[in-house]
Amino acid sequence: MNTLYQLVKNTALFATAAAGVVGGFKIYQKWGRGEEVIPLILAWLFGLGFVQVIFWAVGYYIVGGAYKGVNPTSGAESVAIEAHNGALVIGVGISIFSVVKIYQKYIGGEDVIDLLYKWLGALIFLFFFGYLIEAIL
């Protein structure tokens, strides 16, 4: 059973890696043509991250048997902490891409002061609620 799981896991990881490389190459081609790529990059990163979460959940909960004998409260707290850390990483990634987008608009001659205020407000919101969640947990 374990060898079958490893075979399926390795095949799925290889397929995911191949799809990630092909998707990244298509994004690179569009970037070279001057097309808008920020939403594509975010979708690409979200997709790769989602696959990673699925692999982790299957390995930890189903194959590892971590769901057995877990107090529901402590299990919920550990999942909440993992979700919080994942949300912070995603938020930082989106903020970096947002800075790139603002910089592109600035280089293009647009007024970006309003966008900078919105970006800063979003960062404050993200980290304030991250701190609040950590304090609660």
Short mmCIF file of all heavy atoms in Angstrom, two decimals, residues 68-117:
data_model
loop_
_atom_site.label_atom_id
_atom_site.label_comp_id
_atom_site.label_asym_id
_atom_site.label_seq_id
_atom_site.Cartn_x
_atom_site.Cartn_y
_atom_site.Cartn_z
N LYS A 68 -6.65 10.83 13.87
CA LYS A 68 -7.07 9.90 14.92
C LYS A 68 -6.57 10.38 16.27
O LYS A 68 -5.42 10.77 16.43
CB LYS A 68 -6.49 8.51 14.65
CG LYS A 68 -6.99 7.88 13.39
CD LYS A 68 -6.34 6.56 13.16
CE LYS A 68 -6.77 5.98 11.83
NZ LYS A 68 -6.03 4.79 11.48
N GLY A 69 -7.42 10.38 17.23
CA GLY A 69 -7.03 10.70 18.59
C GLY A 69 -6.66 12.15 18.81
O GLY A 69 -5.95 12.46 19.75
N VAL A 70 -7.13 13.04 17.97
CA VAL A 70 -6.82 14.46 18.13
C VAL A 70 -8.00 15.13 18.81
O VAL A 70 -9.15 14.93 18.42
CB VAL A 70 -6.55 15.12 16.76
CG1 VAL A 70 -6.41 16.62 16.90
CG2 VAL A 70 -5.32 14.54 16.12
N ASN A 71 -7.71 15.90 19.83
CA ASN A 71 -8.73 16.70 20.46
C ASN A 71 -9.21 17.73 19.43
O ASN A 71 -8.39 18.43 18.85
CB ASN A 71 -8.14 17.39 21.69
CG ASN A 71 -9.15 18.22 22.44
OD1 ASN A 71 -10.32 18.29 22.06
ND2 ASN A 71 -8.69 18.83 23.51
N PRO A 72 -10.51 17.83 19.18
CA PRO A 72 -10.97 18.75 18.15
C PRO A 72 -10.53 20.20 18.37
O PRO A 72 -10.22 20.91 17.44
CB PRO A 72 -12.50 18.64 18.22
CG PRO A 72 -12.75 17.31 18.82
CD PRO A 72 -11.61 17.05 19.74
N THR A 73 -10.42 20.62 19.62
CA THR A 73 -10.01 22.00 19.89
C THR A 73 -8.56 22.21 19.50
O THR A 73 -8.22 23.18 18.82
CB THR A 73 -10.20 22.33 21.38
OG1 THR A 73 -11.56 22.06 21.74
CG2 THR A 73 -9.88 23.77 21.65
N SER A 74 -7.68 21.32 19.91
CA SER A 74 -6.26 21.48 19.56
C SER A 74 -6.05 21.28 18.07
O SER A 74 -5.20 21.93 17.47
CB SER A 74 -5.39 20.51 20.36
OG SER A 74 -5.69 19.17 20.00
N GLY A 75 -6.83 20.39 17.46
CA GLY A 75 -6.74 20.21 16.01
C GLY A 75 -7.16 21.46 15.27
O GLY A 75 -6.52 21.87 14.30
N ALA A 76 -8.23 22.10 15.75
CA ALA A 76 -8.69 23.33 15.11
C ALA A 76 -7.68 24.46 15.29
O ALA A 76 -7.44 25.24 14.38
CB ALA A 76 -10.05 23.74 15.68
N GLU A 77 -7.05 24.52 16.47
CA GLU A 77 -6.05 25.55 16.71
C GLU A 77 -4.84 25.37 15.80
O GLU A 77 -4.31 26.33 15.27
CB GLU A 77 -5.62 25.55 18.17
CG GLU A 77 -6.65 26.11 19.11
CD GLU A 77 -6.24 26.00 20.58
OE1 GLU A 77 -5.13 25.45 20.86
OE2 GLU A 77 -7.01 26.47 21.42
N SER A 78 -4.39 24.13 15.63
CA SER A 78 -3.23 23.90 14.77
C SER A 78 -3.54 24.22 13.32
O SER A 78 -2.72 24.80 12.61
CB SER A 78 -2.72 22.47 14.91
OG SER A 78 -3.65 21.55 14.39
N VAL A 79 -4.74 23.87 12.86
CA VAL A 79 -5.13 24.20 11.49
C VAL A 79 -5.28 25.71 11.34
O VAL A 79 -4.90 26.28 10.31
CB VAL A 79 -6.43 23.46 11.10
CG1 VAL A 79 -6.99 23.98 9.78
CG2 VAL A 79 -6.19 21.98 11.01
N ALA A 80 -5.81 26.38 12.36
CA ALA A 80 -5.95 27.84 12.30
C ALA A 80 -4.59 28.52 12.22
O ALA A 80 -4.41 29.48 11.47
CB ALA A 80 -6.74 28.35 13.51
N ILE A 81 -3.63 28.03 12.97
CA ILE A 81 -2.29 28.60 12.93
C ILE A 81 -1.66 28.38 11.56
O ILE A 81 -1.05 29.29 10.98
CB ILE A 81 -1.41 28.02 14.06
CG1 ILE A 81 -1.92 28.53 15.41
CG2 ILE A 81 0.05 28.36 13.86
CD1 ILE A 81 -1.30 27.84 16.59
N GLU A 82 -1.81 27.19 11.01
CA GLU A 82 -1.29 26.91 9.66
C GLU A 82 -1.97 27.81 8.63
O GLU A 82 -1.31 28.34 7.73
CB GLU A 82 -1.50 25.44 9.30
CG GLU A 82 -0.67 24.48 10.09
CD GLU A 82 0.79 24.50 9.70
OE1 GLU A 82 1.11 24.84 8.55
OE2 GLU A 82 1.62 24.18 10.56
N ALA A 83 -3.28 27.98 8.74
CA ALA A 83 -4.01 28.83 7.80
C ALA A 83 -3.57 30.28 7.93
O ALA A 83 -3.43 30.99 6.93
CB ALA A 83 -5.51 28.71 8.04
N HIS A 84 -3.33 30.72 9.17
CA HIS A 84 -2.87 32.09 9.39
C HIS A 84 -1.50 32.31 8.76
O HIS A 84 -1.27 33.30 8.08
CB HIS A 84 -2.82 32.38 10.89
CG HIS A 84 -2.13 33.65 11.21
ND1 HIS A 84 -0.89 33.68 11.77
CD2 HIS A 84 -2.51 34.94 11.02
CE1 HIS A 84 -0.51 34.93 11.91
NE2 HIS A 84 -1.47 35.71 11.48
N ASN A 85 -0.58 31.37 8.96
CA ASN A 85 0.74 31.49 8.35
C ASN A 85 0.67 31.48 6.84
O ASN A 85 1.35 32.25 6.16
CB ASN A 85 1.66 30.38 8.85
CG ASN A 85 2.00 30.53 10.31
OD1 ASN A 85 1.93 31.63 10.85
ND2 ASN A 85 2.37 29.44 10.95
N GLY A 86 -0.18 30.62 6.29
CA GLY A 86 -0.36 30.60 4.84
C GLY A 86 -0.96 31.89 4.31
O GLY A 86 -0.54 32.40 3.27
N ALA A 87 -1.91 32.45 5.04
CA ALA A 87 -2.52 33.71 4.61
C ALA A 87 -1.51 34.85 4.65
O ALA A 87 -1.52 35.73 3.77
CB ALA A 87 -3.72 34.04 5.51
N LEU A 88 -0.63 34.85 5.64
CA LEU A 88 0.41 35.88 5.69
C LEU A 88 1.36 35.76 4.51
O LEU A 88 1.74 36.77 3.91
CB LEU A 88 1.18 35.81 7.00
CG LEU A 88 0.50 36.44 8.21
CD1 LEU A 88 1.36 36.25 9.44
CD2 LEU A 88 0.22 37.90 7.97
N VAL A 89 1.74 34.56 4.16
CA VAL A 89 2.64 34.37 3.02
C VAL A 89 1.97 34.82 1.73
O VAL A 89 2.57 35.52 0.91
CB VAL A 89 3.09 32.89 2.93
CG1 VAL A 89 3.79 32.61 1.61
CG2 VAL A 89 3.98 32.54 4.09
N ILE A 90 0.71 34.46 1.56
CA ILE A 90 -0.03 34.89 0.37
C ILE A 90 -0.16 36.40 0.35
O ILE A 90 0.01 37.05 -0.69
CB ILE A 90 -1.41 34.19 0.31
CG1 ILE A 90 -1.22 32.70 0.02
CG2 ILE A 90 -2.30 34.83 -0.75
CD1 ILE A 90 -2.47 31.88 0.19
N GLY A 91 -0.45 37.00 1.51
CA GLY A 91 -0.58 38.45 1.59
C GLY A 91 0.71 39.17 1.23
O GLY A 91 0.71 40.19 0.54
N VAL A 92 1.83 38.65 1.71
CA VAL A 92 3.12 39.26 1.38
C VAL A 92 3.39 39.13 -0.11
O VAL A 92 3.87 40.06 -0.76
CB VAL A 92 4.24 38.62 2.23
CG1 VAL A 92 5.61 39.00 1.71
CG2 VAL A 92 4.09 39.04 3.68
N GLY A 93 3.07 37.97 -0.67
CA GLY A 93 3.26 37.80 -2.12
C GLY A 93 2.42 38.76 -2.94
O GLY A 93 2.90 39.38 -3.89
N ILE A 94 1.17 38.92 -2.55
CA ILE A 94 0.29 39.85 -3.27
C ILE A 94 0.78 41.28 -3.09
O ILE A 94 0.74 42.08 -4.04
CB ILE A 94 -1.16 39.68 -2.78
CG1 ILE A 94 -1.71 38.35 -3.27
CG2 ILE A 94 -2.04 40.83 -3.28
CD1 ILE A 94 -3.07 38.01 -2.72
N SER A 95 1.28 41.62 -1.91
CA SER A 95 1.77 42.99 -1.71
C SER A 95 3.01 43.26 -2.56
O SER A 95 3.17 44.37 -3.07
CB SER A 95 2.05 43.25 -0.23
OG SER A 95 3.14 42.47 0.20
N ILE A 96 3.87 42.27 -2.74
CA ILE A 96 5.04 42.46 -3.59
C ILE A 96 4.61 42.68 -5.04
O ILE A 96 5.11 43.58 -5.72
CB ILE A 96 6.00 41.26 -3.46
CG1 ILE A 96 6.64 41.28 -2.08
CG2 ILE A 96 7.05 41.28 -4.56
CD1 ILE A 96 7.44 40.04 -1.75
N PHE A 97 3.66 41.88 -5.51
CA PHE A 97 3.18 42.08 -6.88
C PHE A 97 2.46 43.42 -7.02
O PHE A 97 2.53 44.06 -8.07
CB PHE A 97 2.25 40.93 -7.31
CG PHE A 97 3.00 39.69 -7.66
CD1 PHE A 97 2.86 38.55 -6.89
CD2 PHE A 97 3.85 39.65 -8.75
CE1 PHE A 97 3.56 37.40 -7.20
CE2 PHE A 97 4.56 38.50 -9.07
CZ PHE A 97 4.41 37.37 -8.30
N SER A 98 1.80 43.87 -5.98
CA SER A 98 1.13 45.17 -6.01
C SER A 98 2.14 46.30 -6.12
O SER A 98 1.91 47.28 -6.84
CB SER A 98 0.27 45.36 -4.78
OG SER A 98 -0.73 44.39 -4.72
N VAL A 99 3.25 46.17 -5.41
CA VAL A 99 4.30 47.19 -5.52
C VAL A 99 4.85 47.23 -6.94
O VAL A 99 5.08 48.31 -7.49
CB VAL A 99 5.42 46.92 -4.49
CG1 VAL A 99 6.66 47.73 -4.79
CG2 VAL A 99 4.94 47.23 -3.11
N VAL A 100 5.03 46.08 -7.54
CA VAL A 100 5.50 46.04 -8.93
C VAL A 100 4.50 46.72 -9.85
O VAL A 100 4.87 47.52 -10.73
CB VAL A 100 5.77 44.58 -9.38
CG1 VAL A 100 6.03 44.50 -10.87
CG2 VAL A 100 6.93 44.00 -8.59
N LYS A 101 3.23 46.47 -9.63
CA LYS A 101 2.17 47.08 -10.45
C LYS A 101 2.16 48.60 -10.25
O LYS A 101 2.04 49.35 -11.23
CB LYS A 101 0.83 46.47 -10.07
CG LYS A 101 -0.33 46.92 -10.88
CD LYS A 101 -0.30 46.27 -12.22
CE LYS A 101 -1.61 46.56 -12.91
NZ LYS A 101 -1.60 46.13 -14.26
N ILE A 102 2.28 49.05 -9.02
CA ILE A 102 2.31 50.50 -8.75
C ILE A 102 3.54 51.12 -9.40
O ILE A 102 3.46 52.20 -9.99
CB ILE A 102 2.27 50.75 -7.22
CG1 ILE A 102 0.90 50.37 -6.67
CG2 ILE A 102 2.59 52.21 -6.91
CD1 ILE A 102 0.82 50.37 -5.16
N TYR A 103 4.66 50.45 -9.32
CA TYR A 103 5.89 50.96 -9.93
C TYR A 103 5.73 51.07 -11.45
O TYR A 103 6.18 52.05 -12.06
CB TYR A 103 7.07 50.06 -9.58
CG TYR A 103 8.37 50.53 -10.19
CD1 TYR A 103 9.01 51.66 -9.70
CD2 TYR A 103 8.95 49.84 -11.25
CE1 TYR A 103 10.20 52.09 -10.25
CE2 TYR A 103 10.13 50.27 -11.81
CZ TYR A 103 10.75 51.40 -11.32
OH TYR A 103 11.92 51.83 -11.87
N GLN A 104 5.09 50.07 -12.07
CA GLN A 104 4.86 50.13 -13.51
C GLN A 104 3.98 51.33 -13.87
O GLN A 104 4.23 52.01 -14.86
CB GLN A 104 4.20 48.84 -14.01
CG GLN A 104 5.14 47.66 -14.03
CD GLN A 104 4.42 46.36 -14.38
OE1 GLN A 104 3.19 46.27 -14.35
NE2 GLN A 104 5.21 45.34 -14.71
N LYS A 105 2.97 51.59 -13.07
CA LYS A 105 2.11 52.76 -13.32
C LYS A 105 2.89 54.05 -13.11
O LYS A 105 2.70 55.02 -13.84
CB LYS A 105 0.87 52.72 -12.43
CG LYS A 105 -0.10 51.65 -12.86
CD LYS A 105 -1.38 51.73 -12.07
CE LYS A 105 -2.32 50.65 -12.58
NZ LYS A 105 -3.68 50.93 -12.28
N TYR A 106 3.76 54.08 -12.10
CA TYR A 106 4.58 55.26 -11.84
C TYR A 106 5.52 55.55 -13.01
O TYR A 106 5.66 56.69 -13.44
CB TYR A 106 5.37 55.07 -10.55
CG TYR A 106 6.34 56.19 -10.25
CD1 TYR A 106 5.86 57.43 -9.82
CD2 TYR A 106 7.70 56.02 -10.42
CE1 TYR A 106 6.75 58.46 -9.55
CE2 TYR A 106 8.58 57.04 -10.15
CZ TYR A 106 8.10 58.26 -9.72
OH TYR A 106 8.98 59.27 -9.46
N ILE A 107 6.14 54.50 -13.53
CA ILE A 107 7.03 54.65 -14.68
C ILE A 107 6.24 55.10 -15.90
O ILE A 107 6.73 55.87 -16.73
CB ILE A 107 7.77 53.32 -14.98
CG1 ILE A 107 8.71 52.98 -13.84
CG2 ILE A 107 8.52 53.37 -16.29
CD1 ILE A 107 9.82 53.99 -13.63
N GLY A 108 4.99 54.67 -16.01
CA GLY A 108 4.12 55.07 -17.12
C GLY A 108 3.63 56.50 -17.01
O GLY A 108 2.97 56.99 -17.92
N GLY A 109 3.90 57.18 -15.90
CA GLY A 109 3.53 58.57 -15.76
C GLY A 109 2.20 58.81 -15.06
O GLY A 109 1.73 59.94 -15.00
N GLU A 110 1.60 57.77 -14.51
CA GLU A 110 0.33 57.94 -13.82
C GLU A 110 0.56 58.42 -12.38
O GLU A 110 1.63 58.24 -11.81
CB GLU A 110 -0.43 56.61 -13.78
CG GLU A 110 -0.87 56.12 -15.14
CD GLU A 110 -1.66 54.82 -15.04
OE1 GLU A 110 -2.46 54.70 -14.09
OE2 GLU A 110 -1.48 53.96 -15.90
N ASP A 111 -0.47 59.03 -11.81
CA ASP A 111 -0.42 59.46 -10.42
C ASP A 111 -0.72 58.24 -9.54
O ASP A 111 -1.78 57.63 -9.66
CB ASP A 111 -1.45 60.57 -10.16
CG ASP A 111 -1.36 61.11 -8.76
OD1 ASP A 111 -0.26 61.03 -8.17
OD2 ASP A 111 -2.38 61.60 -8.24
N VAL A 112 0.20 57.90 -8.67
CA VAL A 112 0.08 56.67 -7.88
C VAL A 112 -0.08 56.93 -6.39
O VAL A 112 -0.07 55.98 -5.60
CB VAL A 112 1.30 55.75 -8.13
CG1 VAL A 112 1.33 55.25 -9.55
CG2 VAL A 112 2.59 56.41 -7.74
N ILE A 113 -0.24 58.18 -5.99
CA ILE A 113 -0.34 58.49 -4.56
C ILE A 113 -1.54 57.77 -3.94
O ILE A 113 -1.44 57.17 -2.87
CB ILE A 113 -0.43 60.01 -4.34
CG1 ILE A 113 0.83 60.70 -4.85
CG2 ILE A 113 -0.68 60.34 -2.88
CD1 ILE A 113 2.09 60.28 -4.13
N ASP A 114 -2.69 57.82 -4.61
CA ASP A 114 -3.88 57.15 -4.09
C ASP A 114 -3.66 55.64 -3.98
O ASP A 114 -4.06 55.01 -2.99
CB ASP A 114 -5.08 57.46 -4.99
CG ASP A 114 -6.39 57.02 -4.39
OD1 ASP A 114 -6.55 57.16 -3.16
OD2 ASP A 114 -7.25 56.53 -5.16
N LEU A 115 -3.01 55.05 -4.98
CA LEU A 115 -2.72 53.61 -4.93
C LEU A 115 -1.76 53.27 -3.78
O LEU A 115 -1.91 52.23 -3.14
CB LEU A 115 -2.11 53.15 -6.26
CG LEU A 115 -3.06 53.12 -7.46
CD1 LEU A 115 -2.29 52.80 -8.72
CD2 LEU A 115 -4.16 52.11 -7.24
N LEU A 116 -0.79 54.14 -3.54
CA LEU A 116 0.13 53.89 -2.44
C LEU A 116 -0.59 53.92 -1.10
O LEU A 116 -0.30 53.10 -0.21
CB LEU A 116 1.27 54.91 -2.45
CG LEU A 116 2.34 54.69 -3.51
CD1 LEU A 116 3.31 55.86 -3.52
CD2 LEU A 116 3.07 53.39 -3.26
N TYR A 117 -1.54 54.85 -0.93
CA TYR A 117 -2.31 54.90 0.32
C TYR A 117 -3.14 53.62 0.49
O TYR A 117 -3.23 53.07 1.58
CB TYR A 117 -3.21 56.12 0.37
CG TYR A 117 -2.47 57.42 0.59
CD1 TYR A 117 -2.86 58.58 -0.08
CD2 TYR A 117 -1.40 57.50 1.46
CE1 TYR A 117 -2.20 59.77 0.12
CE2 TYR A 117 -0.72 58.68 1.66
CZ TYR A 117 -1.12 59.82 1.00
OH TYR A 117 -0.45 60.99 1.19
#
